[in-house]
Amino acid sequence: MPLPPPPTSPHAGERLVLRAWAGLECGVWAGALILAWYALHSASRGEFWWVKFNLAAAPFFGQSVFHSGLSRTTAAGAALLIVFYALCGAGFALLVRPATLRPRLLAPALYTVLVHGAVTMSLTPALGPFARHWFTTLAVAVAHLLLFLALVFYPLVWWRLELGWRSLTPLAAQPPSGLAGCVEDAGTKPLAGRTGEQTGLQDPPPG
C-alpha cells in the first residue's frame, strides 16, 4: 500500500540520511546471515567453519590467510564481510526510493545480480588464486539470495525509522498545553460579558 503522508516530513538531507540508515541496517542483517551461512557451508564440507572469514581478510593479511587459524584474521575477515554488505545495502537505499510499504522484488533482484557479478568476477579472484575453491558458486549464490531477501524488506525498515524520526521531532509550533486554554479563553471571551471586577472598570456615578 502507498505510504501515508507524514504530518511533518523530513527535509531532503534528513530523508537521505534515513534512507541510507535503513539500507545499512538491511545490509548488516544480510551480512550476519551470510556469515552464518558461510560457517555452515564450510562445516558441511568438512572444513574449518572460519576458513571463508580468513580468506575474506586477504586484503589486510595477504597470502598468510591460507595458513591462519582461528585468530584476529578471522575477526577481520568477518568484519570486512559485514561492512561490505552494509555498504551494499546503503548503496541500494540511495538508488531506490521507498514509495510503498509493499515489498518490491524487481529492484532488489536487479541490484543483487549486479552485486553478485561484481563479487564473482572481480572481488573473489582478488582474494587469491585458490579463493574460488572455498567461495564456490553455490556458496556465493545462496549468500546473495540472503542479501536479496534483506533488501526486499528495505521499505518497511525505512518506514520504521521514519516513524521514529517523527516521534523525536519537537512540535515547536504548538503552544504548551497549560497555555493553550488560556490563550483560547482570552481570545474568544467578549469584554462586554465580563463584570466590572473582572475588567477593572466601574459604572459611572449617577448624574
Side-chain angles (χ1 to χ4, degrees), residues 2-196:
L3 293 176
T8 55
S9 180
H11 299 297
E14 295 170 336
R15 189 179 299 113
L16 196 64
V17 170
L18 289 175
R19 287 170 55 184
W21 188 358
L24 283 171
E25 184 172 333
C26 292
V28 168
W29 279 108
L33 293 174
I34 289 170
L35 291 184
W37 159 246
Y38 278 160
L40 179 63
H41 181 263
S42 296
S44 68
R45 300 178 64 194
E47 304 166 349
F48 294 115
W49 62 265
W50 61 79
V51 64
K52 290 183 177 62
F53 306 160
N54 286 7
L55 289 174
F60 299 125
F61 298 97
Q63 299 302 309
S64 64
V65 298
F66 292 98
H67 313 288
S68 300
L70 185 61
S71 62
R72 63 175 183 171
T73 304
T74 309
L80 186 60
L81 288 171
I82 291 285
V83 170
F84 173 75
Y85 286 107
L87 294 177
C88 287
F92 175 80
L94 295 178
L95 292 174
V96 179
R97 182 176 178 271
T100 65
L101 284 176
R102 183 182 299 110
R104 294 186 295 178
L105 302 180
L106 181 59
L110 293 176
Y111 186 80
T112 304
V113 168
L114 292 177
V115 172
H116 181 76
V119 168
T120 55
M121 292 189 296
S122 179
L123 298 181
T124 300
L127 297 178
F130 304 106
R132 290 185 183 275
H133 174 74
W134 288 277
F135 287 100
T136 64
T137 302
L138 174 64
V140 177
V142 174
H144 292 152
L145 177 62
L146 296 174
L147 174 64
F148 164 75
L149 294 176
L151 295 179
V152 165
F153 291 98
Y154 158 68
L156 296 177
V157 176
W158 177 85
W159 186 241
R160 176 176 57 79
L161 294 176
E162 171 80 2
L163 293 177
W165 178 90
R166 283 195 242 155
S167 67
L168 296 176
T169 302
L171 300 179
Q174 293 185 0
S177 57
L179 297 178
C182 301
V183 173
E184 181 179 0
D185 291 343
T188 58
K189 190 171 183 179
L191 182 63
R194 303 176 187 176
T195 65

